[in-house]
Amino acid sequence: MPRNKLQKTQREEIMSKQGWPLYEVFIRARAGLSHRHVGSIHAADKTMALDHARDLYTRRNEGISIWVVKSADIIASDPIDSDALFGPAADKIYRHPTFYKIPDDVENI
Amino acid sequence: MNKEKALIAYVTRMGDNAIIMAQRLSEWVGHGPELEEEMAMGNFALDYVGQSRMYFSYAGELEGKGRSEDDICFLRDGWDYGNVLLLEQPNGDYGETIARLVLFETFYSLQLGALVTSPAKKLAEIAARAIKESTYHLRHAGHWLIRLGDGTDESHRRVQDAIDRLWTYTGELFEADQVDQIMQSDWEAPDLTDLRGHWHRQIDELLAKATLQKPDDGWMDSGGKNGHHSEHLGYILAEMQSLQRTYPGANW
Amino acid sequence: MYTQGLDQKQKKSVADPGDSPERLAAFQARIDADEKIEPKDWMPSAYRKTLIRQMSQHAHSEIVGMLPEGNWISRAPTLRRKAILLAKVQDEAGHGLYIYGGTETLGVSRDDLVADLLSGKAKYSSIFNYPTVTWADVGAIGWLVDGAAIMNQIPLCRCSYGPYSRAMIRVCKEESFHQRQGYEIMLELCRGTDEQKRMAQDALNRWWWPSLMMFGPSDKTSEHSAQSMAWKIKRFSNDELRQKYVDATVPQADYLGLRMPDEKLVFDEKTGHYEFGEIDWQEFFEVLKGNGKCNRERLEARNRAHDEGRWVREAARAYAEKQAAKDAA
């Protein structure tokens, strides 16, 4: 399609101005469970974001509650910091119940 | 006309509204302004196909001549279709589709809201199901009407044009004929004059939020409920019924 | 997920130390240990590029793939079939969205990817450039095309890239009904009138070879395979999957009482596999190049939707900006 090829740069320019922001979608599958990240959608505003999340992610009865949040608003840790953030917890084995040796005949502990 | 006949006619009309709306909405699948909106239109169309099946099966049952949902849908010609003219109009642009949804769903939710207590048990059950779907459609389309009305100059102009163009088909929604009268007296269907008042109040509120002008009630087109249609319905039916008509009696 | 937040970080980490041999080795070690790679993790630029290419093509295919079947929504022969087909075609839009979403975690925007599709720069599956001329084509697509897609997609559920693998798990779960509904249509036709049987055989004749082409060029000529296998973006070779597909599908055709349009098709007792005739690769490459029966219509349809939807997208954005300004005031 030569016509489209010619217009491509122009099109891309327009599109970058037009695109709707990205939202992350979290769904609570049923009461008692926490909301879980399921994916993302694009929407122009928050109401639309909820509608789009509903129309895309709950077509098969997958949820009873939806959260959406602008992807740009998520603050995430960086894998570069992983050692500093998560390494120190690795050797604190005394935080786990299996660390303690209690004789089998002691009950209810 | 006795009350049983009126109920059959009324239920069939509701099925006709549903299937014609489904045909129109599904035209957006693959061709919408954004993928997420194609999903939405697909969901709405599916809701309406589902509703049409319930109405047609019920009508067939009431009639008692062994006609299936498909017989009623695919083997009747235009003069037996009782959908309102508003629904057979072409989609137009997305603004016009949204405008039609708002005009119709506002009416339909009110209608369903009244029918959930009808002594026609099955009709009441269908209404209870359909009203959930209709409420969501109205929420989605209503927000879109506001966005387009209060968006850009172009979108405002387009959606105002759409409302103006479609207005002439809104009168028919509230025209009560014999079927409606019997339904009202014998099956607790809504009084259309009453309903019209509610409809106007809701539409006024929404149009104001969307910064749109309400058109004057000029000449109103009608006839769809009694099988007097515009040219558009013939094409919808020709397309929809083509396989059933070409291969009579086949199973699919 | 995470795209905006990690955009700059990624650029830095990719540009800074570069794909040094140590980093590449460490990365490969993670893959070999069956670890999943997540969006913010360091990855070789070629890995990122390959994924963007593959995932976006996959997403484009889902979206363009709505069109041939979408043709028949208005003409589905019963209300039940109409509902099923509508749900199926709509699922494809959903799958496109899941996969676009996954691709966006790699630091590209959907708008840019879609622009490449619309300009003709990006590719999508050749199969969707064939026309759907009878109702049986809807059956054949479900049975054969979705069947082939499932063969391809199930291994992708174990792909090394987390977001892709998660999207594929969701897709596969939803798609399991797609092939079944297609086969059910074929069954109904084959049990029906002579005309319906003829319709079914005709559809099989037209879709069989193109469905074999969906697995891509033969391993002998395929370029990207080895690296993709090492990275666990791909789990089986094109020919392996194609053979699996033929083995699974031929008995299904037999059950229907249909004949595969391949004179050379024969079951080899020794290997336990079907041998089949030579694929017309000339046709495959022509369709890929844009010379299929429907390439032009498909792209025109998507371009038209995009162009005619521009004022809608703009309006929604303008409205959102006005509201944001009001909230701020």
Side-chain angles (χ1 to χ4, degrees):
Chain A
M1 302 222 150
R3 186 183 66 92
N4 293 325
K5 265 184 188 144
L6 283 176
Q7 288 179 345
K8 207 202 123 200
T9 339
Q10 187 201 353
R11 183 190 301 283
E12 273 181 349
E13 211 172 277
I14 296 165
M15 296 225 334
S16 61
K17 279 190 229 133
Q18 262 189 349
W20 291 341
L22 190 66
Y23 285 79
E24 299 305 325
V25 180
F26 301 81
I27 306 269
R28 185 200 296 286
R30 54 174 201 273
L33 297 178
S34 47
H35 286 76
R36 191 172 157 213
H37 182 248
V38 291
S40 58
I41 47 97
H42 285 269
D45 56 56
K46 12 185 200 184
T47 320
M48 197 196 288
L50 273 179
D51 283 8
H52 285 170
R54 179 259 190 200
D55 281 319
L56 181 59
Y57 290 102
T58 67
R59 303 198 302 296
R60 288 175 169 78
N61 244 322
E62 292 97 332
I64 56 157
S65 163
I66 303 173
W67 288 350
V68 290
V69 57
K70 262 194 186 163
S71 311
D73 290 340
I74 289 193
I75 299 153
S77 65
D78 190 319
I80 292 171
D81 304 327
S82 287
D83 283 348
L85 289 173
F86 311 116
D91 60 0
K92 311 275 192 300
I93 46 174
Y94 43 81
R95 285 192 190 273
H96 300 278
T98 46
F99 178 75
Y100 303 92
K101 291 190 180 39
I102 308 286
D104 285 347
D105 42 1
V106 183
E107 285 181 1
N108 298 323
I109 192 163
Chain B
M1 185 182 284
N2 63 24
K3 64 184 257 191
E4 277 71 30
K5 282 248 159 62
L7 181 59
I8 296 173
Y10 191 82
V11 171
T12 309
R13 281 179 188 175
M14 294 192 79
D16 294 342
N17 280 343
I19 192 61
I20 299 303
M21 186 67 130
Q23 285 294 102
R24 285 301 188 209
L25 288 172
S26 61
E27 290 173 28
W28 283 108
V29 176
H31 308 277
E34 190 54 281
L35 288 168
E36 281 90 346
E37 284 303 308
E38 290 186 21
M39 297 295 299
M41 291 302 122
N43 278 339
F44 296 4
L46 264 176
D47 290 342
Y48 274 115
V49 174
Q51 290 178 24
S52 76
R53 297 181 67 182
M54 294 189 280
Y55 289 127
F56 289 150
S57 305
Y58 181 37
E61 225 171 84
L62 288 168
E63 190 190 51
K65 291 183 188 160
R67 287 205 296 174
S68 69
E69 57 179 41
D70 290 328
D71 293 337
I72 295 175
C73 182
F74 294 96
L75 301 178
R76 282 179 308 144
D77 206 346
W79 49 43
D80 288 328
Y81 260 76
N83 61 281
V84 291
L85 298 178
L86 175 65
L87 303 184
E88 69 200 45
Q89 301 310 307
N91 279 341
D93 62 21
Y94 206 63
E96 194 159 346
T97 292
I98 291 293
R100 169 173 42 209
L101 270 169
V102 165
L103 296 174
F104 181 71
E105 299 280 6
T106 304
F107 163 80
Y108 190 38
S109 319
L110 289 164
Q111 184 189 24
L112 293 170
L115 288 172
V116 290
T117 51
S118 166
K121 262 258 161 77
K122 191 119 181 215
L123 179 58
E125 277 169 31
I126 300 173
R129 247 181 90 171
I131 197 167
K132 294 180 196 163
E133 297 172 344
S134 189
T135 305
Y136 180 73
H137 301 173
L138 188 53
R139 166 197 149 104
H140 187 83
H143 281 128
W144 264 107
L145 190 78
I146 296 169
R147 285 184 198 107
L148 296 177
D150 194 15
T152 61
D153 291 346
E154 183 184 4
S155 70
H156 179 86
R157 177 179 55 73
R158 279 176 181 263
V159 76
Q160 181 69 60
D161 282 355
I163 293 275
D164 294 348
R165 205 164 32 244
L166 294 174
W167 199 256
T168 188
Y169 303 110
T170 56
E172 187 186 10
L173 299 170
F174 310 103
E175 257 176 35
D177 65 0
Q178 206 192 357
V179 172
D180 294 300
Q181 282 157 6
I182 299 173
M183 282 302 294
Q184 192 193 327
S185 57
D186 292 352
W187 299 103
E188 292 175 35
D191 173 347
L192 291 179
T193 316
D194 251 23
L195 208 147
R196 186 169 179 274
H198 290 295
W199 184 85
H200 273 277
R201 272 191 295 284
Q202 288 188 24
I203 291 290
D204 286 344
E205 203 181 309
L206 198 53
L207 288 177
K209 277 191 198 157
T211 71
L212 293 167
Q213 294 294 318
K214 183 170 168 180
D216 293 329
D217 278 354
W219 179 75
M220 291 289 182
D221 201 352
S222 76
K225 281 160 90 166
N226 291 304
H228 305 296
H229 290 278
S230 64
E231 292 176 348
H232 305 295
L233 184 72
Y235 289 98
I236 297 177
L237 296 184
E239 197 172 327
M240 180 169 81
Q241 300 178 339
S242 60
L243 279 167
Q244 290 270 359
R245 299 290 192 183
T246 314
Y247 303 99
N251 290 319
W252 302 95
Chain C
M1 179 160 194
Y2 327 110
T3 31
Q4 267 95 345
L6 72 136
D7 230 350
Q8 297 111 346
K9 272 273 151 54
Q10 274 175 348
K11 269 177 203 140
K12 201 178 98 208
S13 51
V14 169
D16 257 357
D19 297 357
S20 68
E22 296 77 26
R23 287 202 112 161
L24 289 175
F27 180 80
Q28 191 61 51
R30 289 190 64 194
I31 302 263
D32 293 343
D34 268 334
E35 270 183 47
K36 293 280 182 216
I37 308 302
E38 293 297 341
K40 291 180 56 131
D41 294 347
W42 183 86
M43 60 187 87
S45 48
Y47 177 85
R48 183 186 303 275
K49 245 169 102 182
T50 305
L51 273 173
I52 292 173
R53 212 176 111 254
Q54 184 177 335
M55 291 172 74
S56 58
Q57 281 186 20
H58 194 161
H60 298 331
S61 300
E62 297 280 356
I63 299 307
V64 178
M66 298 168 71
L67 297 171
E69 286 174 286
N71 265 337
W72 282 90
I73 294 173
S74 65
R75 290 177 289 170
T78 66
L79 289 170
R80 174 175 177 268
R81 290 282 171 218
K82 191 188 289 291
I84 293 169
L85 182 59
L86 191 46
K88 190 206 168 210
V89 174
Q90 191 213 26
D91 269 353
E92 275 148 23
H95 299 168
L97 284 172
Y98 301 155
I99 305 167
Y100 278 133
T103 319
E104 287 189 288
T105 64
L106 290 159
V108 287
S109 79
R110 185 171 105 199
D111 290 340
D112 290 339
L113 299 174
V114 169
D116 285 345
L117 169 69
L118 297 179
S119 72
K121 185 180 154 200
K123 297 269 182 279
Y124 57 88
S125 179
S126 58
I127 195 83
F128 301 118
N129 293 316
Y130 291 85
T132 48
V133 292
T134 73
W135 170 251
D137 290 7
V138 174
I141 290 183
W143 171 35
L144 300 172
V145 175
D146 289 284
I150 291 170
M151 286 274 166
N152 250 315
Q153 288 175 162
I154 285 177
L156 284 172
C157 295
R158 293 187 296 132
C159 160
S160 62
Y161 188 57
Y164 197 16
S165 134
R166 290 192 286 275
M168 290 324 298
I169 289 170
R170 192 173 267 275
V171 168
C172 285
K173 216 195 280 172
E174 296 187 357
E175 228 167 55
S176 51
F177 95 80
H178 292 184
Q179 192 191 14
R180 295 172 70 98
Q181 65 86 33
Y183 196 72
E184 196 194 68
I185 290 175
M186 297 303 279
L187 264 174
E188 202 66 64
L189 293 174
C190 291
R191 286 174 185 153
T193 64
D194 287 348
E195 280 161 319
Q196 285 177 303
K197 281 178 213 158
R198 180 178 154 203
M199 214 184 263
Q201 181 64 56
D202 166 69
L204 174 60
N205 293 348
R206 283 179 292 109
W207 290 95
W208 173 244
W209 289 106
S211 76
L212 292 184
M213 295 176 197
M214 284 176 71
F215 296 91
S218 155
D219 296 346
K220 285 166 257 170
T221 56
S222 177
E223 295 160 34
H224 304 283
S225 257
Q227 182 60 76
S228 289
M229 299 268 249
W231 278 335
K232 295 186 184 169
I233 292 172
K234 208 172 161 148
R235 293 274 182 165
F236 298 98
S237 79
N238 296 352
D239 286 337
E240 278 171 329
L241 285 174
R242 189 166 15 239
Q243 185 64 55
K244 238 172 124 175
Y245 172 72
V246 172
D247 291 343
T249 312
V250 175
Q252 294 167 354
D254 291 344
Y255 187 88
L256 293 171
L258 297 177
R259 210 165 9 87
M260 288 295 190
D262 180 354
E263 296 301 328
K264 293 190 176 144
L265 188 75
V266 61
F267 186 70
D268 183 337
E269 296 282 354
K270 269 179 285 172
T271 60
H273 295 294
Y274 284 91
E275 276 179 24
F276 51 97
E278 183 64 22
I279 292 170
D280 182 354
W281 292 113
Q282 181 69 22
E283 175 182 321
F284 173 73
F285 288 112
E286 284 298 329
V287 176
L288 217 56
K289 241 192 292 174
N291 298 326
K293 278 194 188 300
C294 298
N295 294 59
R296 188 199 301 242
E297 283 96 322
R298 302 293 185 241
L299 270 193
E300 274 172 2
R302 288 312 306 180
N303 269 292
R304 200 165 44 243
H306 191 81
D307 293 343
E308 287 174 3
R310 176 165 296 122
W311 69 274
V312 179
R313 297 189 299 276
E314 269 172 10
R317 220 174 122 126
Y319 175 77
E321 277 160 16
K322 277 190 212 172
Q323 292 308 110
K326 264 187 215 161
D327 287 349

